[in-house]
Amino acid sequence: MKQHLVIFDTTLRDGEQSPGASMTREEKIRVARQLEKMRVDVIEAGFAAASPGDFESIQAIAQAIKDSTVCSLARASENDIARSGEAIRPAKSGRIHTFIATSPIHMEKKLRMSPDQVVEQAVKAIGWARQYTDDVEFSAEDAGRSEIDFLCRIFEAVIKAGAKTINVPDTVGYNIPSQYAETMRQLIERVPNSDKVVWSVHCHNDLGLAVSNSLAAVLAGARQVECTINGLGERAGNAALEEIVMAVRTRADVFPVETRIDTTQIVAASKLVSQITGYPVQPNKAVVGANAFAHESGIHQDGVLKHRETYEIMRAQDVGWTQNKLVLGKHSGRNAFKSRLQELGIELDSDETLNAAFARFKELADRKHEIFDEDLHALVSDEVVTPEQEHYKLVYSRVTSETGEMPQATVILNVGGVEHKAEAGGGGPVDATFKAIESIAGSGAELLLYSVNAITTGTDAQGEVTTRLAKGGRIVNGNGADTDIVIASARSYLNALNKLESTLDKVRAQGDDI
Ligand code: KIV
Ligand code: ZN
């Protein structure tokens, strides 16, 4: 009998700490629904005390999600824990994840606390958290550079205080697999009552070892892995969920554990997170990269055609690499459109938003006969800003581009109910269009990223554009999709401007992180 390996996804918390990967509440709910569909055990939905926006996102996810535990991160302080406790209150199953640093460098230089004070604070934190839920996780931040004797001491104390999961983070990605596994093995052996808790790993990828370290610790007895979709996360990222899950499944001969993940949902989750955050997936990325199952060399192709397993250790369809699914066409009605969105976990929050998205769908279906799930995700990505938040609306856009001439753009925007027209020239059609928009909006925002990606195959594919803007310490991503990439770009730019503009926007200021 295999033991259960708990998959704890922190895309919405540690993943969101990637520079510029901030997500709005609606986007987080969409990701959470996909994680639930994939049967993730625990969804770390955010860090409730970081901002009111984070708090509300966690609360909304706690309300929406039924089949996964919803967790909030909290420093070991009474206020942080109270905010987390409130945020997860609506959850069917809720967890508080509290942490304090335990390495000498963090205790001395960051916390300015003695080891005794750190232990005392950790124990208090568990007590505060248990007032809200029995499901309390404790993390020793920077455990990877902490002294093993001190880890044993603090873990013994927090287990006694009622912690149910003990997490051993390699916060700065410093460990190597054999060393990290040995730490885990010693902790399980030495800490009293270690068999009463779930031992967890949380590895960062600074040396490219996050997945290897996590798996080594699983072999040493860890039974929870903290990970993110596409390995998104602080600095070089966290361990990639898809790699952990597929390693355990593909090497069932080696791992004494199994997950309950529906692996066929992995590619959809990867695409969704990439689309929302604007973090592209590299083509040669394991499991979810576009080339992960492509065979270029003639010898390999020949081998695979004769017998798939000559060169393939996993089946593409097992991780959700099915052919693009034709879902809707130009004759599909509003109800079919709405129910397909629901199946994809997309809830539009008002009839007005649904009508706007449906109108866009019809327009798209006229130009592009085959509409796939990916098209629908892209279509709603720039439509989920509710009309009252939509300060800037694109009314008209035209661009001329000819050999030897500077492209010229004309745009008309509706700004808070009043139409404005502007013209501008630029280095290319997109540059000209952005300049024309900016001459109306006058946002002064800094463009951090502009990326275009074809959503499906074929020259009639929608171009999906991500525009990342920074202003006043806030970073937002705007998404836009259209078969015309200049229009997609304009939508994406306006989507980002609307997020910056919106007073209701819950995007967290960068720098509020832990
Ligand atoms: O990397 C880390 O140490 C963390 C903790 C808060 C778990 O993200
Ligand atoms: Zn982390």
Side-chain angles (χ1 to χ4, degrees):
M1 240 324 241
K2 297 234 172 196
Q3 289 182 11
H4 179 57
L5 180 66
V6 176
I7 296 297
F8 175 116
D9 180 279
T10 182
T11 306
L12 297 175
R13 199 279 296 170
D14 220 330
E16 209 210 12
Q17 287 174 215
S18 308
S22 308
M23 295 171 240
T24 62
R25 183 175 59 187
E26 288 72 20
E27 288 165 344
K28 286 184 180 179
I29 294 171
R30 281 166 64 200
V31 172
R33 286 192 197 279
Q34 177 60 28
L35 294 174
E36 181 185 39
K37 196 166 174 189
M38 201 163 69
R39 294 171 54 79
V40 156
D41 298 281
V42 186
I43 298 172
E44 187 162 59
F47 176 22
S51 71
D54 258 49
F55 178 88
E56 284 166 27
S57 297
I58 299 167
Q59 205 173 41
I61 290 169
Q63 256 148 16
I65 299 300
K66 302 286 169 246
D67 292 336
S68 307
T69 294
V70 177
C71 171
S72 169
L73 184 70
R75 282 167 297 205
S77 83
E78 199 167 1
N79 175 61
D80 268 36
I81 289 171
R83 292 294 282 164
S84 288
E86 281 305 315
I88 61 158
R89 203 186 283 286
K92 201 166 155 213
S93 163
R95 172 180 296 190
I96 294 176
H97 174 192
T98 185
F99 73 97
I100 192 162
T102 53
S103 62
I105 184 171
H106 275 228
M107 290 192 289
E108 194 188 319
K109 306 282 184 219
K110 183 181 85 171
L111 298 176
R112 297 177 207 277
M113 286 167 82
S114 70
D116 286 351
Q117 287 171 320
V118 168
V119 175
E120 195 185 317
Q121 191 69 16
V123 169
K124 277 193 202 156
I126 305 300
W128 292 321
R130 289 199 59 201
Q131 291 172 5
Y132 298 92
T133 172
D134 278 346
D135 190 351
V136 177
E137 171 170 340
F138 174 75
S139 278
E141 191 191 12
D142 205 17
R145 292 188 299 172
S146 301
E147 286 161 5
I148 187 94
D149 290 347
F150 184 61
L151 286 179
C152 288
R153 178 177 162 208
I154 196 164
F155 288 153
E156 177 178 356
V158 294
I159 293 173
K160 211 163 167 190
K164 296 283 186 295
T165 301
I166 301 295
N167 188 32
V168 187
D170 183 18
T171 304
V172 293
Y174 181 68
N175 282 219
I176 61 166
S178 53
Q179 169 200 8
Y180 191 57
E182 180 55 20
T183 303
M184 184 57 71
R185 199 194 57 71
Q186 280 200 39
L187 288 171
I188 295 174
E189 191 180 289
R190 289 176 52 186
V191 174
N193 292 316
S194 70
D195 58 331
K196 306 282 187 303
V197 294
V198 174
W199 289 88
S200 168
V201 289
H202 176 114
C203 296
H204 280 271
N205 207 27
D206 300 67
L207 293 173
L209 294 170
V211 169
S212 308
N213 283 339
S214 304
L215 293 173
V218 168
L219 289 173
R223 290 296 174 264
Q224 171 175 290
V225 175
E226 302 196 352
C227 44
T228 57
I229 302 294
N230 299 337
L232 200 66
E234 187 80 49
R235 304 182 310 279
N238 290 59
L241 178 147
E242 60 278 5
E243 295 177 24
I244 300 284
V245 168
M246 291 315 289
V248 165
R249 178 180 148 136
T250 308
R251 296 308 309 271
D253 56 328
V254 174
F255 292 98
V257 293
E258 61 191 2
T259 73
R260 60 165 206 153
I261 296 294
D262 175 357
T263 59
T264 63
Q265 293 299 325
I266 284 178
V267 167
S270 162
K271 287 188 175 179
L272 182 64
V273 169
S274 167
Q275 195 167 63
I276 287 175
T277 59
Y279 270 69
V281 175
Q282 76 199 52
N284 57 334
K285 162 84 180 60
V287 184
V288 292
N291 293 348
F293 293 88
H295 299 277
E296 191 62 26
S297 120
I299 296 173
H300 287 207
Q301 286 173 354
D302 181 54
V304 168
L305 286 174
K306 286 181 175 142
H307 187 79
R308 188 187 60 80
E309 285 167 22
T310 50
Y311 287 100
E312 269 185 16
I313 58 166
M314 296 172 272
R315 295 190 318 164
Q317 60 266 42
D318 289 350
V319 295
W321 276 115
T322 42
Q323 275 74 42
N324 293 329
K325 218 160 66 188
L326 178 63
V327 287
L328 295 169
K330 69 190 254 183
H331 300 297
S332 305
R334 190 173 173 279
N335 278 345
F337 176 70
K338 187 178 173 186
S339 57
R340 187 62 204 156
L341 291 186
Q342 275 164 352
E343 279 165 34
L344 291 174
I346 302 167
E347 304 273 350
L348 296 182
D349 55 4
S350 68
D351 272 0
E352 245 177 317
T353 317
L354 176 68
N355 290 343
F358 184 61
R360 289 274 318 282
F361 159 72
K362 281 290 189 187
E363 212 185 281
L364 178 65
D366 266 343
R367 279 176 291 140
K368 183 176 186 293
H369 298 298
E370 300 173 317
I371 308 284
F372 304 110
D373 284 344
E374 290 88 341
D375 289 313
L376 295 183
H377 271 299
L379 191 140
V380 296
S381 279
D382 56 341
E383 214 52 67
V384 286
V385 178
T386 53
E388 61 273 19
Q389 286 173 286
E390 212 181 2
H391 186 63
Y392 300 103
K393 286 186 199 144
L394 182 66
V395 177
Y396 173 84
S397 154
R398 179 171 182 272
V399 70
T400 53
S401 176
E402 59 185 296
T403 321
E405 296 295 328
M406 177 184 261
Q408 295 293 325
T410 306
V411 296
I412 300 177
L413 300 185
N414 181 316
V415 186
V418 182
E419 287 194 1
H420 297 262
K421 182 174 175 183
E423 293 180 356
V430 172
D431 188 43
T433 304
F434 279 17
K435 284 191 170 125
I437 291 175
E438 190 53 30
S439 76
I440 297 173
S443 74
E446 186 190 352
L447 181 70
L448 297 184
L449 173 111
Y450 168 76
S451 84
V452 191
N453 187 26
I455 295 178
T456 51
T457 50
T459 48
D460 70 343
Q462 288 197 87
E464 174 193 43
V465 178
T466 303
T467 302
R468 186 171 300 155
L469 296 181
K471 191 181 174 186
R474 295 173 67 202
I475 301 180
V476 294
N477 282 323
N479 298 309
D482 201 282
T483 49
D484 179 328
I485 61 153
V486 179
I487 306 271
S489 302
R491 285 184 183 287
S492 144
Y493 194 71
L494 291 171
N495 185 237
L497 286 181
N498 280 322
K499 286 181 178 174
L500 279 179
E501 184 67 28
S502 167
T503 48
L504 297 171
D505 181 46
K506 308 298 186 295
V507 177
R508 181 174 59 208
Q510 297 289 306
D512 283 354
D513 296 335
I514 319 141

